[in-house]
Amino acid sequence: MLTKQDYEKYSSLALEYLEKAGIVITETEKKNVEVAEYELGCIEKVGLELVVYVNTEKCCAKELVLLPGQTCPEHRHPAIGGEDGKEETFRCRYGKVYLYVEGEETENRQTNPPEGMEEYFTCKKEIVLNPGEQYTIMPNTLHWFRAGDCGAIVSEFSTKSRDEYDIYTDPRIIAAGARQV
Ligand code: ZN
């Protein structure tokens, strides 16, 4: 569980990154930064800060902030009730993000899963995103991502976000209790 102090610490760090990147958000949004620690208790390794500013029946947009080396755990967005799962486009705005998706393994990958948690990070196809670069992840495709040494900000554009249906590779992560991206 995230303490109030932790929430305040990571939320204000996220705001510093957004400011550095020149991404302006409203005062209300600043008060509603979400901090995900996936109930694992190692937020600097596995965690994420985010600001959601659209989530309608058709589309969703967020800013994701990752601290240096911070990693979003591997997950997928399955079909629900005959409707496709979430399709996501990640566009890097600041720093560098290492994205891993299902598919052919990339040799000499530039980063690794968080130490000691390798079994829950199975995707080995690497896509490196620098500011202005983007990648679209199709529904129900496993993916995880990690920030480089300077942290990263990623704008996410997607179809409707339904946190509660996400499937994480790490069985300790229960979707309903964690923000998904
Ligand atoms: Zn996702």
Side-chain angles (χ1 to χ4, degrees), residues 9-181:
K9 176 180 169 187
Y10 292 104
S11 149
S12 61
L13 278 170
L15 295 178
E16 280 175 30
Y17 274 85
L18 288 165
E19 200 172 316
K20 260 196 280 193
I23 296 172
V24 179
I25 61 171
T26 66
E27 291 304 315
T28 307
E29 287 164 341
K30 284 181 189 173
K31 290 192 188 100
N32 292 317
V33 171
E34 294 176 39
V35 177
E37 59 99 49
Y38 302 97
E39 314 284 326
L40 294 177
C42 55
I43 188 169
E44 298 200 2
K45 248 163 68 163
V46 180
L48 186 70
E49 295 71 36
L50 60 152
V51 182
V52 180
Y53 43 88
V54 185
N55 190 20
T56 67
E57 285 305 308
K58 304 264 183 214
C59 74
C60 178
K62 311 174 180 180
E63 301 298 338
L64 313 175
V65 181
L66 295 132
L67 305 175
Q70 204 176 28
T71 301
C72 174
E74 186 175 275
H75 64 280
R76 61 188 170 87
H77 307 285
I80 305 296
E83 263 183 65
D84 277 350
K86 194 168 90 159
E87 178 195 288
E88 301 176 324
T89 296
F90 288 165
R91 184 175 175 94
C92 181
R93 300 293 191 181
Y94 174 89
K96 197 182 266 268
V97 65
Y98 300 94
L99 171 65
Y100 298 88
V101 298
E102 284 177 48
E104 201 180 330
E105 181 170 342
T106 302
E107 303 220 351
N108 304 317
R109 292 183 299 283
Q110 296 185 42
T111 185
N112 294 303
E115 219 179 303
M117 300 179 72
E118 292 80 358
E119 65 185 300
Y120 306 128
F121 292 81
T122 63
C123 298
K124 295 186 166 66
K125 178 179 173 182
E126 181 178 75
I127 296 117
V128 181
L129 299 175
N130 292 295
E133 296 175 338
Q134 68 185 44
Y135 186 84
T136 300
I137 300 161
M138 287 296 133
N140 208 25
T141 306
L142 278 171
H143 55 285
W144 63 275
F145 50 98
R146 176 173 197 163
D149 294 340
C150 300
I153 297 179
V154 174
S155 295
E156 178 192 319
F157 308 101
S158 74
T159 53
K160 185 180 173 60
S161 191
R162 296 179 180 92
D163 303 353
E164 63 275 25
Y165 297 111
D166 290 342
I167 296 171
Y168 288 86
T169 305
D170 184 339
R172 295 171 300 173
I173 302 176
I174 294 151
R179 286 297 313 189
Q180 112 296 355
V181 289

